[in-house]
């Protein structure tokens, strides 16, 4: 059995043993797997060594595991509630959250009380199928499902056109033009052509409806299947007994037409959902199954990535993904990190540079030393966050799911009452009115209105390196009127930059910088890096040569310095603190680095925090949107004032402890403000947790505290403004979807009950309602600006 290259495994690939056994769970005609006992195949999951492939230990309680699985066969919110009930009924399952929008489930279970095969079998017994979220067969199954759906659609469309052709004479013929024999012949021809539609095209509706009846529950497929069956039975009776109570008219044209439109809607909805699911799956399936690892003798062997350990040296070829976090030890290449950091263009990586798992090697073969594997990698943490978001249910979605089952029961009751009302007048019309009521009502649009929009928005943000931990956060973020920023690591970068340079009379500033750079290039201190970077930008590196280097930690550097053109003339030079250089310190609000020749002062370099280049534009954009912006910093008030002035923030406060920040937040909330907080995620835990919406910002975001709602892993502060703007558009789309779903049912159901909505038009309405909701939600993913940052 072979699969496309794109169907690779993900974070922790399933073992070959698990993949072979899992094949027994698939449809034989789909994956051509050998038949076997599904329960026995599922029991392979009870091996604890397999749990890490689709689960992770719960940090709050020992022995508890959290699993992310895909649920196949769901079509509406009622299906999701059915799966939830099936999972929660198993002793040992602590909680279960199933999302109809993403078709994923998050299951929290106690290992001492239940094993994975038991609760997965419960899902199977309820008529659905649970497979690990990183299952390598998922993409292939979706492709086959889409192909089957297309075949059913094409058969229904071909038969519909033929049936419509045979029905046309009955509509356009004048009285006496169409003989009874000819009309009867046309009915028989339509009945024959409708059989493939009923037997093949409608089979998913009937099988799902029968499953619901057997399990004594209700889903969207039950009223649809009843409508199809009633229409076919009534038309068949009219064909076999033209003189009977149902012989006045047949409805094969209406039946085939609304089946065609229903299948068309389902197929397009399937394709649109595929785009949403594909965004997460593309991220999850970036890791290879195996990698070349260097042996002790220098040769390479191919090993599964699960066998990698920190310290291993691996060979990553062009076109392969890095399977772990590490450091390049040989070679140089370009790396695509777009799905992990939001960087849209390849970044250069050479010896000594770090690489992250999930990023793609684009240019050349490199050797890398593994530093972090499995759950410790940034890639694994990002996938965990996206999985959690995909199964999270916003408040509006939970409300829609709650009313889904009562709504469907109401549909059946309304159809029955409408049929009884019309029965005495016209039994044939009574049944067709009931069919219209069954077909036209669609809770799918209502249940998809919220999750479709929020999942689309979350996928759009993920492409820019903004990870959403909770879909509920979109509702909160859309309502904020105040944004509070931390300073260090948020408005400013972790690095420093060179500001003003003061030099002794007779010395040039660029010359002093060149001398300092010759010492700084041998040190890893942040101040040394800032001086070296400034010298590189000015092109003065290499003019002086330093030797006999000595670094005193916390104080500075001492070396022998000589011009590159006159190496025989050398002298001692010192760079660092005033005490180390033997000079008098100067009063200043910024960090100062001094340089002396051991006897007298030569230069003073002022180092400032590097403000993010888009900080000022971001603050201006937030203000234009009507948001109040504040700066709270733990640094001195003067440092906070300088940054606030530079980025355009009028309201600032320095020397803030975590408690001071939390007090400010609570006071703002007492005044009625909805506050979003942007911090570096390291020491802002209390205020991040207390805010209505929060952003953890910086490269260390995946390791930050779990209080933040949005994790910004890139370097763009403008992503905060983008997320706020997108959340407002998302809520607007949700409201549009909800109004459409509610208005559609409020208008169409009374028309169907009154007998003013034919079955074929009801089918078009039902198909278009769900399709419109999903298509409207996908506008959010297309509306995002492309990242041009290099």
């Amino acid at each position: 059995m072979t699969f496309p290259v794109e169907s690779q495994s993900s974070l922790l690939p399933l073992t070959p043993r698990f993949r072979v056994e899992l094949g027994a769970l698939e449809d034989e005609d789909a994956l051509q797997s050998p038949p076997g006992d599904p329960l026995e195949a599922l029991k392979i999951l009870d091996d604890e060594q397999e749990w890490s492939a689709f689960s992770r230990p719960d940090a709050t309680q020992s022995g508890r595991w959290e699993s992310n699985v895909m649920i196949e066969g769901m079509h509406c919110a009622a299906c999701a509630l059915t799966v939830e009930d099936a999972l929660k009924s198993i002793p040992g399952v602590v909680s279960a959250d199933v999302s109809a929008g993403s078709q994923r489930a998050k299951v929290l279970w106690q290992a001492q009380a239940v094993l994975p095969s038991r609760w997965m079998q419960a899902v199977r017994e309820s008529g659905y199928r649970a497979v690990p979220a990183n299952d390598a067969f998922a993409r292939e199954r979706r492709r086959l499902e889409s192909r089957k759906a297309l075949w059913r659609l094409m058969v229904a469309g071909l038969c519909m056109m033929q049936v419509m052709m045979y029905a046309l004479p009955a509509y356009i013929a004048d009285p006496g033009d169409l003989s009874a024999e000819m009309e009867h012949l046309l009915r028989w021809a339509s009945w024959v052509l409708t059989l493939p539609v009923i037997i093949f095209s409608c089979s998913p509706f009937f099988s799902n409806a029968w499953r619901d009846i057997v399990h004594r529950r209700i889903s969207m497929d039950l009223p649809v299947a009843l409508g199809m069956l009633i229409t076919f039975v009534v038309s068949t009776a009219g064909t076999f007994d033209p003189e009977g109570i149902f012989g006045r008219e047949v409805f094969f044209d209406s039946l085939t037409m609304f089946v065609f439109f229903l299948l068309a809607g389902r197929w397009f909805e399937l394709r649109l959902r595929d785009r949403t699911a594909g965004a997460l799956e593309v991220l999850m399936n970036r890791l290879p199954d195996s990698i070349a690892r260097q042996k002790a003798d220098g040769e390479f062997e191919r090993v599964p990535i699960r066998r990698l350990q920190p310290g291993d040296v691996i060979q990553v070829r062009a076109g392969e993904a890095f399977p772990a976090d590490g450091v390049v030890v040989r070679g140089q290449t370009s790396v695509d990190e777009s799905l992990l950091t939001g960087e849209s263009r390849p970044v250069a990586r050479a010896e000594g540079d770090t690489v992250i798992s999930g990023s793609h090697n684009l240019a050349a073969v490199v050797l890398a030393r593994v530093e972090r594997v499995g759950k410790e990698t940034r890639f694994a943490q990002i996938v965990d966050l996206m999985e959690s978001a995909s199964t999270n249910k916003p408040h509006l979605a939970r409300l829609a799911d709650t009313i889904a089952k009562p709504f469907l029961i109401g549909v059946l009751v309304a159809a029955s009452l409408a049929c009884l009302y019309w029965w005495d007048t016209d039994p044939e019309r009574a049944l067709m009115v009931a069919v219209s009521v069954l077909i036209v009502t669609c809770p799918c649009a209502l249940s998809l209105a919220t999750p479709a929009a929020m999942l689309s928005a979350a996928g759009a943000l993920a492409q820019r390196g903004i990870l959403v931990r909770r879909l509920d956060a979109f509702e909160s973020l859309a309502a904020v009127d105040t944004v509070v920023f931390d300073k260090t690591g948020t408005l400013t970068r972790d690095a420093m930059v060179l500001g003003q340079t003061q030099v002794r009379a007779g010395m040039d500033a660029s010359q002093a910088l060149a001398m300092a750079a010759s010492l700084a290039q041998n040190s890893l201190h942040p101040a040394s890096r800032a001086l070296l970077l400034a010298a590189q930008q000015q092109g003065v590196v290499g003019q002086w040569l330093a030797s006999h280097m000595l670094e005193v930690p916390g104080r500075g550097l001492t070396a022998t310095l000589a011009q590159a053109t006159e190496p025989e003339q050398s002298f001692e030079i010192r760079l660092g603190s005033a005490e180390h250089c033997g000079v008098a310190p100067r009063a200043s609000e910024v960090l100062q680095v001094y340089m002396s020749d051991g006897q007298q002062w030569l230069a003073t370099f002022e180092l400032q925090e590097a403000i993010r280049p888009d900080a000022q534009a971001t603050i201006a954009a937030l203000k234009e949107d009507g948001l109040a912006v504040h700066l709270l910093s733990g640094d001195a008030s003067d440092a906070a004032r300088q940054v606030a002035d530079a980025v355009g923030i009028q309201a600032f406060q320095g020397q803030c402890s975590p408690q001071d920040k939390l007090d400010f937040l609570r006071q703002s909330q007492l005044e009625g403000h909805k506050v979003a907080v942007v911090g570096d995620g390291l020491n802002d835990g209390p205020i991040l947790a207390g805010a209505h919406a929060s952003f953890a910002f910086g490269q260390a975001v995946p390791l930050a505290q779990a209080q933040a709602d949005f994790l910004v892993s890139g370097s763009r502060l403008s992503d905060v403004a983008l997320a706020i703007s997108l959340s407002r558009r998302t809520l607007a789309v949700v409201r549009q979807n909800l109004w459409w779903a509610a208005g559609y049912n409020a208008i169409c159901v009374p028309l169907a009950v009154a007998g003013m909505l034919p079955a074929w038009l009801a089918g078009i309405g039902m198909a278009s309602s769900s399709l419109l909701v999903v298509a409207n939600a996908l506008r959010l993913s297309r509306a995002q600006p492309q990242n041009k940052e290099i």
Side-chain angles (χ1 to χ4, degrees):
M1 176 163 42
T2 59
F3 295 95
V5 175
E6 63 184 4
S7 295
Q8 294 176 339
S9 63
S10 66
L11 171 61
L12 290 175
L14 307 180
T15 63
R17 172 173 169 242
F18 177 66
R19 290 188 181 182
V20 170
E21 295 294 338
L22 186 62
L25 299 179
E26 313 305 330
D27 295 332
E28 295 179 29
D29 59 341
L31 295 179
Q32 299 178 352
S33 58
D37 183 357
L39 182 58
E40 289 300 321
L42 279 174
K43 285 185 177 179
I44 201 71
L45 296 171
D46 295 342
D47 185 350
E48 189 170 351
Q49 294 181 355
E50 302 289 350
W51 294 356
S52 61
F54 62 98
S55 308
R56 61 175 178 266
D58 184 22
T60 61
Q61 184 173 338
S62 176
R64 183 180 290 182
W65 289 73
E66 180 183 298
S67 299
N68 281 278
V69 295
M70 293 184 296
I71 306 297
E72 299 182 345
M74 292 196 307
H75 296 289
C76 65
C79 300
L81 294 177
T82 296
V83 175
E84 281 189 4
D85 293 341
L87 288 169
K88 292 177 180 178
S89 66
I90 304 300
V93 174
V94 180
S95 65
D97 293 311
V98 182
S99 170
S102 63
Q103 295 190 325
R104 289 175 176 266
K106 180 172 67 177
V107 185
L108 195 63
W109 50 282
Q110 198 73 33
Q112 293 85 352
V114 68
L115 293 173
S117 64
R118 179 65 191 94
W119 53 262
M120 281 194 175
Q121 180 63 17
V123 175
R124 189 175 183 84
E125 290 172 354
S126 68
Y128 303 90
R129 178 164 49 199
V131 295
N134 57 356
D135 178 23
F137 301 130
R139 185 182 295 272
E140 180 70 6
R141 279 196 303 272
R142 287 213 310 270
R143 185 181 66 82
L144 292 170
E145 181 183 0
S146 180
R147 181 187 298 174
K148 284 185 175 181
L150 185 58
W151 271 108
R152 294 188 184 100
L153 174 62
M154 289 190 298
V155 169
L158 179 62
C159 294
M160 177 198 69
M161 289 187 292
Q162 298 299 317
V163 171
M164 292 293 292
M165 182 178 67
Y166 293 142
L168 184 61
Y171 289 109
I172 64 174
D174 292 328
D177 288 348
L178 188 63
S179 64
E181 292 79 6
M182 180 58 67
E183 183 178 4
H184 195 52
L185 179 60
L186 293 176
R187 288 188 181 186
W188 273 102
S190 298
W191 182 82
V192 171
L193 287 168
T194 305
L195 284 178
V197 177
I198 292 294
I199 296 173
F200 177 67
S201 298
C202 296
S203 58
F205 298 103
F206 291 132
S207 60
N208 293 339
W210 178 251
R211 176 195 62 196
D212 294 336
I213 293 173
V214 170
H215 291 90
R216 298 180 181 179
R217 61 171 186 254
I218 185 172
S219 72
M220 193 58 237
D221 285 330
L222 182 56
V224 171
L226 283 176
M228 294 175 178
L229 184 61
I230 292 172
T231 305
F232 182 72
V233 169
V234 169
S235 300
T236 300
T239 300
F240 281 81
D241 185 13
E243 304 301 326
I245 61 173
F246 301 124
R248 181 169 55 87
E249 187 178 0
V250 294
F251 303 93
F252 294 120
D253 54 336
S254 296
L255 173 60
T256 54
M257 184 180 292
F258 74 65
V259 168
F260 172 76
F261 282 110
L262 284 178
L263 291 176
R266 283 277 176 99
W267 186 74
F268 280 111
E269 184 181 334
L270 182 66
R271 295 298 300 271
L272 294 175
R273 280 189 179 185
D274 228 13
R275 289 180 54 184
T276 303
L280 176 59
E281 194 169 274
V282 165
L283 175 62
M284 293 179 62
N285 292 341
R286 285 175 73 88
L287 297 192
D289 288 327
S290 60
I291 197 70
R293 182 177 63 182
Q294 191 174 44
K295 298 189 293 186
D297 59 3
E299 297 295 324
F300 290 91
E301 61 176 345
R302 202 79 184 175
V303 298
I305 67 171
R306 295 176 69 178
R307 292 175 55 186
L308 292 179
Q309 299 292 332
D312 288 345
V313 175
I314 58 175
Q315 182 188 67
V316 184
R317 301 171 183 171
E320 286 186 328
F322 289 90
D325 292 351
V327 176
V328 177
V329 296
R330 184 185 303 173
Q332 57 184 7
T333 186
S334 296
V335 177
D336 176 15
E337 299 179 350
S338 57
L339 284 181
L340 301 174
T341 65
E343 303 286 347
S344 65
R345 298 187 181 183
V347 292
R349 290 289 182 262
E351 293 183 16
D353 292 336
T354 59
V355 289
I356 54 180
S357 62
S359 59
H360 271 290
N361 182 13
L362 299 178
V365 178
V366 295
L367 299 184
R369 183 177 62 253
V370 174
E371 292 189 340
R372 289 179 296 276
V373 297
K375 296 292 185 181
E376 302 300 320
T377 63
R378 288 187 60 200
F379 174 79
Q381 293 158 350
I382 290 172
V383 169
D384 288 345
L385 289 170
M386 293 189 69
E387 285 181 336
S388 298
S390 67
T391 55
N392 178 255
K393 283 188 179 180
H395 172 72
L396 293 174
R398 288 194 297 267
L399 180 62
D401 288 356
T402 301
I403 66 174
K405 281 189 175 181
F407 182 86
L408 288 172
I409 295 173
V411 168
L412 296 177
V413 172
S416 301
L417 294 177
C419 183
L420 289 175
Y421 176 80
W422 288 96
W423 186 265
D424 291 337
T425 305
D426 187 343
E428 188 175 33
R429 185 178 184 185
L431 290 174
M432 295 313 298
V433 166
V435 167
S436 296
V437 175
L438 292 171
I439 296 296
V440 76
T441 49
C442 184
C444 293
L446 192 62
S447 63
L448 288 173
T450 300
M454 292 188 176
L455 285 171
S456 181
L461 291 180
Q463 292 177 359
R464 291 183 58 87
I466 311 170
L467 305 179
V468 184
R469 289 188 61 250
R470 298 185 305 105
L471 294 184
D472 275 337
F474 281 113
E475 300 177 36
S476 304
L477 186 60
V480 300
D481 56 17
T482 303
V483 182
V484 174
F485 285 91
D486 180 40
K487 180 178 72 70
T488 306
T490 304
L491 289 173
T492 65
R493 293 174 173 173
D494 296 331
M496 293 180 289
V497 294
L498 177 64
Q500 294 183 352
T501 301
Q502 301 174 3
V503 296
R504 188 180 65 182
M507 177 175 285
D508 183 72
S510 61
Q511 181 185 13
L513 181 60
M515 296 171 64
S518 64
L519 277 72
Q521 62 186 354
N522 297 292
S523 172
L524 297 178
H525 193 278
S528 298
R529 292 182 177 181
L531 291 173
L532 180 59
L533 177 61
Q536 290 173 341
Q537 292 173 344
Q538 295 184 22
V540 296
V541 177
Q543 296 180 4
W544 294 81
L545 301 176
S547 59
H548 304 92
M549 178 71 64
L550 175 64
E551 182 171 4
V552 181
R555 299 185 62 184
L557 302 166
T558 301
T560 300
L561 197 66
Q563 282 189 320
T565 56
E566 301 177 2
E568 65 280 356
Q569 299 181 7
S570 62
F571 56 94
E572 184 182 274
I573 195 79
R574 294 187 178 187
L575 181 71
S577 65
E579 179 184 4
H580 178 72
C581 295
V583 299
R586 303 187 179 189
S588 177
E589 298 177 350
V590 298
L591 175 65
Q592 293 183 329
V593 177
Y594 299 88
M595 186 172 68
S596 72
D597 59 4
Q599 298 179 352
Q600 57 182 335
W601 170 78
L602 295 178
T604 300
F605 305 97
E606 294 185 353
L607 300 181
Q608 303 172 343
E609 289 182 289
I611 297 176
R612 296 187 184 274
D614 59 347
Q616 187 174 9
T618 299
I619 301 304
L622 294 175
K623 289 181 177 179
E624 288 179 5
D625 287 341
L627 298 170
V629 184
H630 295 260
L631 170 62
L632 302 180
S633 174
D635 288 351
S637 298
D638 291 337
R641 178 186 296 107
Q642 286 185 345
V643 173
D645 292 342
V647 300
I649 297 178
Q650 284 74 40
F652 66 89
Q653 184 176 339
Q655 295 180 327
C656 292
S657 66
Q659 184 61 46
D660 293 333
K661 294 182 179 181
L662 188 59
D663 291 341
F664 176 87
L665 173 67
R666 289 173 175 170
Q667 182 61 37
S668 297
Q669 292 173 338
L670 287 175
E671 295 172 359
H673 296 291
K674 306 292 184 181
V675 184
V677 174
V678 187
D680 60 10
L682 299 177
N683 58 357
D684 296 321
I687 192 172
L688 289 174
H692 289 88
S694 54
F695 294 81
F697 200 88
Q699 290 297 329
V701 163
L703 304 178
Q705 299 180 13
Q707 281 82 2
D709 302 314
F710 298 87
L711 307 182
V712 185
S713 58
S715 59
R716 298 172 304 275
L717 198 64
S718 58
D719 286 341
V720 174
L722 172 68
I724 295 175
S725 175
L726 181 61
S727 68
R728 292 178 174 179
R729 292 201 300 273
T730 300
L731 265 293
V733 169
V734 168
R735 286 191 290 269
Q736 291 170 6
N737 286 347
L738 290 174
W739 276 111
W740 159 254
Y744 160 80
N745 284 285
I747 295 173
C748 293
V749 173
L751 290 176
V753 172
M756 300 173 62
L757 196 69
W760 63 269
L761 187 56
I764 295 176
M766 178 190 173
S768 61
S769 60
S770 297
L771 191 60
L772 182 62
V773 164
V774 177
N776 191 35
L778 285 177
R779 292 191 301 114
L780 295 168
S781 63
R782 294 193 296 268
Q784 301 316 302
Q786 295 295 319
N787 174 23
K788 302 298 184 183
E789 180 178 321
I790 300 177

